[in-house]
């Protein structure tokens, strides 16, 4: 009985990890797209110079 429970627990953990990794890939792609859009469509500052959409 214990080996069966361990195998089921391992399957649940691996399924959860696979799902989390898939979600993280989609989040990473969305962040990359937003960063590229912000980089390409950056506004100008009030002084007339080229501004950045982020602050470092």
């Amino acid at each position: 009985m214990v080996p069966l429970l361990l195998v089921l627990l391992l399957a649940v953990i691996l399924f959860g990890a696979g799902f989390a990794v898939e979600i993280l890939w989609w989040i990473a792609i969305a962040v990359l797209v937003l960063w590229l859009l912000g980089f390409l469509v950056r506004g100008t500052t009030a002084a007339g110079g080229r501004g950045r959409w982020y602050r470092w």
Side-chain angles (χ1 to χ4, degrees):
M1 184 71 167
V2 173
L4 179 63
L5 289 176
L6 289 176
V7 169
L8 287 174
L9 182 63
L10 182 63
V12 168
I13 290 172
L14 290 177
F15 175 76
F19 183 73
V21 168
E22 182 74 21
I23 292 295
L24 288 176
W25 271 109
W26 285 110
I27 291 172
I29 291 171
V31 168
L32 178 65
V33 167
L34 288 175
W35 181 79
L36 286 174
L37 285 174
F39 184 75
L40 294 174
V41 189
R42 58 186 171 194
T44 59
T45 61
R50 295 188 65 166
R52 293 184 295 200
W53 68 280
Y54 56 87
R55 293 179 185 253
W56 288 99

